[in-house]
Structures are given as C-alpha cells and as structure tokens.
Amino acid sequence: MNRGKMTLILLAVLILLGLMIVPVNANEFELPPGYDLEGDMLGRINRLRRRYGLPPYQLNAALTAAAQNQADWLVETGRRTHIRPDGSKPSDRIAATGYVWTGWCCGENYYMSIDATPDLVWDFWRWSPMHFINLVHREFDTVGVGYATDGRRISYVLTFGNMLDDSDVVPPLDAQTTPEAQPVAEQATPERHPVVEQQTAPVATNTSAANTHIVTRGETLFRIAVNYNTTTAALARVNNIANPSQIYVGQRLIIPTGGEVATLSQTTAAAPQTVANTSASCAGFRATSPTDGFPNGPVTFYWEPLAQQANGYRVNVYDEAGDIVGQFVTGSGSASLDADVGVGAIGGGFMFSWEVVALNNGVPLCTSNRVGLFRESS
C-alpha cells in the first residue's frame, strides 16, 4: 500500500473518531455556561416597562422557585399547559413557595420548544398580547425566571406577583385615557394571561337599559359578558369598543338588553339552578377547576359534588357565542372528569365557558355556576 492511500485511510479514521465524540444529545440552542438569564430577562422587561412609564419589576426568589418548578415540569412531561392534571394552577405553585402577595395573584408566561432562545422567547412574549400584559401589568411588582432543558426540549417561564401594600398600588386610570397611554386591565387573547383566580363580576338583576358595570382589575370583556348573560359582541357594540380585547380598569360599560342579550342558560355561583328534581339541594354545588384557562388538549374538570341523589355528571363547554361545543359525561358519582378541549375536539376559538350538571339516572338535578376562561394557543 502506497503512502498516499495510507494517509487517506488515517484521515478517514480520525474523522470518524471525531464524529463519535460529539455529544448526540447536544442542543445548539441551550444557554451557554455563565449566561445570566435572570439579569437578561429582567433588563428586557424593565426597559419595556420604562417605555410605558411603569416602575421596574424586582426579582423575587420565591417566584423564581415557582417558575423553575414549572419549567422543569414542562420539560419533564412535554405538556404545554398552565393547569396541571392534578388541577394545580400558577397561584397554587406560587403559594407553595411561601410567596405572600397583596391584592390578587398571579401571572405566568411560558414558552417551550426545541429551538427556544432568549431572543426568540422574548419576541414571542413581546408581540403576544396575552403575554405582553404580564410584562407591563400595573398590579405586579415582582418577577421570577425559570429555565430548563433535557437536551432536546427547552422551556422558559416567568412568574409574576404583587408584594406592594394596597396604598402603593397604582390607582385606576381614567376610562377616557387612550390605549397608547396605559396598559390594559386584561386582554382576551389565545393563551390567558395573567393567570389569576377568577373574580366574578356582579350578575345583572334586571334588564333595564340603564344597567352599567365598572371594570375592575382582572376582568375581561368575555367574562363580563358571561356574567351578565350576554356576548362580547353585544357589549362591544353598545359601548363602541373597537377592540374587544382591550378594556380598562374604571371603565363604565353599558350592559345591553332586549335583542342584544344572548339567550344563554347560565346560572351563577351564588344561585345554582335546579333543572329538574326540585327536591334536590343545590347548595354548595359549584364548578371549581379550571377557572383560569384551558389547555389546548386534555384537561381535568373538578367540582364540588352534591351530597346525595346525583349518580352522574355532565360537563357542558360553550363557545363565545354561548353555543355548546362539547359535552362530557361521567356515569359515576365522582367529582372530576377528564376530557379533551383541544381544537380537534371542540373546534377553534379562544374564549370558552363551562359548567357541570348533576344527574340522577340521566335526569338533570342542578346546574353549577358557569366559568368563563380562555384556551391557550398551543
């Protein structure tokens, strides 16, 4: 064998050995060693807040622990959801860290993919309205940052809270202030943010055209519509709201009546409806979870069961127009039910509501409160 062929063989062997020592699970998008993700994200957020005349967020160790817990869970399970199969929500995870908040709790942004980078994630949050609102929220003052990877999937999580005294909370802006001058109170967008414990608006007691509602923090036009037995389209129409996804704390809304009111068979938490057997006691029968968002896929519904008589339950899922798009039945007397609320199961859309009906041999006994929420985009 001549020298030239021997040299080529040796080069081929060296190339093969080099390929063998390359880590097969390496992800080129993982953060490099020493990268200050917390500092980077905090800087981006606070520069954005400064543009809107808002005070900066402060990093919080408890919120960071909650964010890290969620980041790890997302990567470990491959699920994309704020509500875990056990029904736990961001507020539950944040409370478990010992974080004590003032006012209301809490917010969570997440992103997971195989090609996630700080720039890609930031651009997604920055241009996604429902994530953006957490970044510029007037009620939050602290943030936590989480990051995890298994060598393939990469997740980023932000959690938000409010440790301010009530006296320090930024007061509501005048309802006439323009959208460009203030962050919105809440936005009706694909993936519900901030994720908060549901705050129910007062239920209309009559159909007078003079009925009005003052927007409070945490509310959306969709939830207000659900609580007043109407639709977002009707509310937007009578209040001349060009963008139904933007309403403001302190804004006075006229509640439409007559032909504008949707014919929804909704009941309220304070007064569960007896549908059939009037001897059944509906006291305490209510839907409990989820209350702050649907995943785009499997979900577990929970409710407070009737003490007696019910031997089955049916979950009704409604779209924004108040039409039933999904019905799920359990023949047992349990207080939970697994269902698929993904696009393939109940159709497209972002805004939904659900209720649970107690059954006795298939006959409705009581209908719970109806819970309005949003479905995440992925």
Side-chain angles (χ1 to χ4, degrees):
M1 184 179 295
N2 60 41
R3 186 184 297 266
K5 288 184 178 180
M6 180 63 71
T7 300
L8 289 174
I9 292 173
L10 288 174
L11 284 173
V13 170
L14 290 173
I15 291 172
L16 287 173
L17 288 174
L19 291 174
M20 292 173 62
I21 63 175
V22 174
V24 295
N25 292 323
N27 188 327
E28 62 180 304
F29 300 103
E30 292 182 20
L31 294 179
Y35 185 88
D36 182 11
L37 179 63
E38 289 185 352
D40 181 17
M41 283 296 170
L42 183 65
R44 295 179 192 234
I45 294 170
N46 286 338
R47 285 191 294 274
L48 178 65
R49 291 179 65 81
R50 189 161 55 245
R51 289 179 54 192
Y52 287 85
L54 297 168
Y57 283 158
Q58 302 295 323
L59 279 173
N60 179 273
L63 289 179
T64 293
Q68 187 60 50
N69 178 276
Q70 177 69 351
D72 291 337
W73 183 85
L74 291 170
V75 166
E76 179 182 349
T77 63
R79 290 175 176 259
R80 291 176 171 83
T81 180
H82 297 285
I83 307 168
R84 298 184 184 180
D86 62 2
S88 62
K89 305 177 292 294
S91 56
D92 299 318
R93 296 188 287 275
I94 290 171
T97 68
Y99 182 86
V100 179
W101 58 82
T102 297
W104 60 296
C105 177
C106 302
E108 181 181 85
N109 288 1
Y110 77 78
Y111 187 96
M112 182 172 70
S113 70
I114 62 173
D115 60 351
T117 64
D119 288 339
L120 184 152
V121 172
W122 175 254
D123 286 343
F124 176 77
W125 287 338
R126 172 66 181 83
W127 297 108
S128 168
M130 75 296 190
H131 295 90
F132 176 80
I133 191 59
N134 275 347
L135 303 175
V136 296
H137 209 294
R138 290 179 300 155
E139 305 298 337
F140 294 149
D141 67 341
T142 45
V143 65
V145 182
Y147 167 87
T149 181
D150 61 359
R152 179 173 177 271
R153 288 185 289 257
I154 304 171
S155 67
Y156 290 75
V157 177
L158 299 178
T159 52
F160 307 84
N162 181 358
M163 295 189 72
L164 291 174
D165 294 333
D166 287 332
S167 60
D168 294 329
V169 174
V170 179
L173 298 177
D174 185 84
Q176 301 304 314
T177 306
T178 62
E180 291 77 13
Q182 68 173 18
V184 296
E186 211 52 90
Q187 299 204 30
T189 46
E191 189 171 336
R192 170 72 173 89
H193 285 276
V195 176
V196 299
E197 302 297 343
Q198 178 170 343
Q199 301 180 21
T200 305
V203 176
T205 56
N206 60 66
T207 57
S208 167
N211 282 345
T212 60
H213 176 84
I214 305 299
V215 177
T216 61
R217 61 189 181 190
E219 290 187 319
T220 65
L221 201 64
F222 173 60
R223 282 188 175 176
I224 294 170
V226 167
N227 286 311
Y228 281 99
N229 201 29
T230 184
T231 65
T232 54
L235 280 175
R237 197 157 44 239
V238 299
N239 289 280
N240 295 317
I241 297 175
N243 185 352
S245 69
Q246 294 185 349
I247 57 175
Y248 306 97
V249 172
Q251 184 173 356
R252 184 182 296 274
L253 299 177
I254 298 172
I255 304 303
T257 59
E260 292 285 75
V261 178
T263 56
L264 301 181
S265 58
Q266 174 189 341
T267 60
T268 69
Q273 176 188 10
T274 301
V275 178
N277 186 346
T278 57
S279 65
S281 173
C282 298
F285 179 54
R286 62 188 182 92
T288 58
S289 180
T291 60
D292 52 12
F294 269 166
N296 194 341
V299 67
T300 301
F301 293 97
Y302 296 88
W303 55 87
E304 293 290 343
L306 287 180
Q308 52 188 339
Q309 293 184 293
N311 55 18
Y313 295 92
R314 182 179 70 239
V315 171
N316 297 327
V317 179
Y318 299 82
D319 63 13
E320 182 182 2
D323 298 324
I324 292 180
V325 292
Q327 288 188 315
F328 310 97
V329 178
T330 173
S332 68
S334 67
S336 66
L337 181 152
D338 295 326
D340 184 359
V341 293
V343 171
I346 64 173
F350 303 130
M351 295 178 282
F352 296 87
S353 58
W354 71 278
E355 66 191 9
V356 58
V357 181
L359 306 172
N360 182 279
N361 296 326
V363 178
L365 297 175
C366 301
T367 299
S368 74
N369 56 307
R370 187 178 296 185
V371 179
L373 36 65
F374 296 83
R375 182 174 63 188
E376 62 183 21
S377 58
S378 60

